[in-house]
Amino acid sequence: MTNDLILVLNCGSSSLKGALIDNKTGGLILSCLAEKLTTPEAYITFKYFDNADIRPVSRRSWFVDRKDGDKHEVSLSDRHDHTGAVEALLEELRAHDLQDMVRAIGHRVVHGGEKYSGSVVIDDKVMAVLEECIPLAPLHNPANLTGIRAAQSIFPGLINVGVFDTAFHQTMPEHAYTYAVPQELYQKYGFRRYGFHGTSFRYVAPVAAEIIGKDINDCSLVIAHLGNGASVCAVKNGESQDTSMGVTPLEGLVMGTRSGDLDPSTCSFLADNAGMDVKAVTDMLNKKSGLLGISGLSNDCRTIQEAAAEGHAGAKLALEVMTYRLAKYIAAMAVATNGIDALVFTGGIGENSDVVRSKTVNYLGFLGLTIDEEANKATRFGASGIISQKGREPAVVVVPTNEERMIAMDTGRLAGL
């Protein structure tokens, strides 16, 4: 008897992330990352994880071939598109007799507009809706569509499931998602707040509630998903009430290369004074701003922290602006939840940066939030738990996210596994 495995794919414009997950246990078997796609330098890296629950159907043992944490790289120079990357993934699975154990494929899809409040089995109608949503996510949805088509071609007959970053936020009330602009823009073009990182928030919320001993259906949380992209979400009784990202992932917090909130007149100001057109301004705000823009050094938070500790003025300012803006948004989200039972940190920075967590919480003492510096430093690198002072409420909690697991769970359910 073989295990049911779920393949999870997350496609960017020039990258493809993959994860092979045991549907029963949630165990991660294999991950892959294809980079520099669409160029002759394209390659894919595979990483293996020791999971004793997996029993390949042949005598060739998975564990004999690879050790936990082993990596190896395969060139994609002769097939450097997303289809080539998925082909290489299939070949890797075949090399270990795992291809027949893959029962369904789950896809991270950035934007589902207002059409989807949950994950769906992908068919022609769904593909058409994703095409319609391209104006809302011109950088992301085309790549997601490319990945879906590649999977359908390379793994014919398997069920494909779309899991949307935006779906979790479809519970936001009208007053939270409505922009103060002429409403014909919403009616004609769907111009409203959508929010992102929904799969992460959906995974983290019940775990955080359990850690603080609360029922998720009677719990108020503010969750900060902090990575190179970052957003905050107000979650009340398991549902999104508000979030910092908007019609695109540019609004809200200071991020690695994204500016977050700005004066809406920015485009006209820069057009008049710097001779920049809309495309140039948009490119700058998405790719050259945030931590990178302020520091003039890097978009990587670890580099910023190290440089700030050494006295680099730009890095120090970037860290202060980032955490101050984050604290302001957390306080604002407490309005949407009418108070909070816990502030939750997740994402690469949220899970690992005790510095960002400490600086942020220190701005929020007026909400009763505290930090236990010893617990804060100890809760990193995959650890979860409470990092506020013992017995103090609201709690401050760290929860490692697992979007791939969430996608796999939805995929297995919709595939009837």
Side-chain angles (χ1 to χ4, degrees):
M1 184 176 180
T2 62
N3 299 72
D4 292 334
L5 303 185
I6 305 293
L7 180 61
V8 175
L9 296 179
N10 178 359
C11 289
S13 58
S14 61
S15 67
L16 180 148
K17 296 179 182 178
L20 188 65
I21 296 175
D22 184 343
N23 183 58
K24 182 178 180 181
T25 68
L28 178 61
I29 314 306
L30 165 70
S31 69
C32 68
L33 175 60
E35 300 180 270
K36 299 184 179 180
L37 294 179
T38 73
T39 75
E41 292 78 37
Y43 64 94
I44 186 167
T45 303
F46 297 99
K47 183 177 180 180
Y48 302 84
F49 298 86
D50 188 349
N51 190 314
D53 293 311
I54 295 300
R55 296 288 180 266
V57 293
S58 78
R59 294 181 180 180
R60 185 180 183 188
S61 172
W62 178 266
F63 308 113
V64 170
D65 293 336
R66 299 287 174 191
K67 295 179 181 178
D68 187 38
D70 272 359
K71 294 182 179 180
H72 82 105
E73 185 179 299
V74 175
S75 171
L76 297 174
S77 59
D78 59 340
R79 44 177 177 176
H80 47 76
D81 58 8
H82 290 79
T83 300
V86 178
E87 286 175 347
L89 174 56
L90 175 59
E91 290 166 6
E92 192 69 22
L93 297 178
R94 282 176 173 161
H96 298 286
D97 296 310
L98 291 168
Q99 75 281 3
D100 292 332
M101 298 166 70
V102 178
R103 300 290 304 281
I105 303 173
H107 298 267
R108 182 228 181 181
V109 181
V110 168
H111 220 305
E114 291 186 309
K115 298 289 185 179
Y116 300 114
S117 58
S119 303
V120 296
V121 174
I122 296 172
D123 56 18
D124 291 342
K125 290 183 179 179
V126 173
M127 293 292 279
V129 170
L130 299 188
E131 293 275 3
E132 292 173 6
C133 289
I134 286 176
L136 296 171
L139 298 178
H140 296 90
N141 270 37
N144 299 153
L145 284 160
T146 298
I148 293 168
R149 293 188 180 106
Q152 291 173 331
S153 172
I154 306 303
F155 292 89
L158 291 185
I159 290 175
N160 287 262
V161 170
V163 181
F164 305 93
D165 280 6
T166 51
F168 181 66
H169 301 297
Q170 286 298 300
T171 55
M172 284 192 295
E174 188 176 25
H175 65 261
Y177 70 69
T178 298
Y179 286 129
V181 297
Q183 285 303 283
E184 65 177 319
L185 294 176
Y186 168 58
Q187 294 155 5
K188 289 183 177 180
Y189 309 110
F191 186 69
R192 51 157 283 183
R193 180 181 305 282
Y194 288 97
F196 300 87
H197 295 131
T199 305
S200 176
F201 293 130
R202 186 158 58 98
Y203 177 86
V204 166
V207 177
E210 184 177 0
I211 287 173
I212 64 172
K214 296 279 290 186
D215 183 344
I216 187 59
N217 296 309
D218 184 25
C219 187
S220 295
L221 304 170
V222 175
I223 306 175
H225 177 108
L226 308 178
N228 194 50
S231 67
V232 177
C233 183
V235 180
K236 187 172 182 65
N237 302 336
E239 295 185 341
S240 173
Q241 301 299 308
D242 202 351
T243 190
S244 57
M245 283 180 168
V247 67
T248 76
L250 181 59
E251 187 180 355
L253 305 178
V254 173
M255 306 174 225
T257 62
R258 296 178 215 160
S259 65
D261 290 349
L262 282 173
D263 185 328
S265 294
T266 296
C267 280
S268 61
F269 177 87
L270 293 176
D272 293 341
N273 293 279
M276 299 173 69
D277 61 18
V278 172
K279 185 178 184 303
V281 173
T282 301
D283 185 69
M284 179 194 72
L285 297 181
N286 276 288
K287 300 178 181 179
K288 302 173 185 177
S289 300
L291 295 179
L292 175 62
I294 300 171
S295 70
L297 182 67
S298 176
N299 68 304
D300 189 287
C301 191
R302 292 165 296 186
T303 302
I304 296 295
Q305 286 179 195
E306 292 167 1
E310 294 170 359
H312 188 286
K316 290 171 68 176
L317 180 59
L319 199 56
E320 288 300 332
V321 173
M322 172 194 179
T323 53
Y324 173 67
R325 182 83 64 85
L326 173 58
K328 283 174 59 177
Y329 254 106
I330 290 167
M333 290 298 152
V335 174
T337 55
N338 193 28
I340 59 175
D341 294 308
L343 166 62
V344 187
F345 288 98
T346 192
I349 296 171
E351 295 166 24
N352 298 310
S353 178
D354 58 298
V355 174
V356 168
R357 296 188 306 230
S358 180
K359 290 177 77 65
T360 302
V361 173
N362 285 337
Y363 277 118
L364 295 165
F366 69 95
L367 288 178
L369 295 165
T370 61
I371 197 88
D372 181 323
E373 292 296 354
E374 186 175 335
N376 185 31
K377 287 182 171 61
T379 311
R380 295 186 293 166
F381 312 122
S384 62
I386 296 173
I387 61 171
S388 47
Q389 294 173 9
K390 190 173 182 179
R392 297 289 296 273
E393 295 180 350
V396 181
V397 184
V398 177
V399 178
T401 192
N402 194 335
E403 293 169 277
E404 290 81 9
R405 175 58 178 148
M406 194 81 254
I407 293 170
M409 289 169 63
D410 283 4
T411 302
R413 173 175 55 81
L414 290 171
L417 301 179

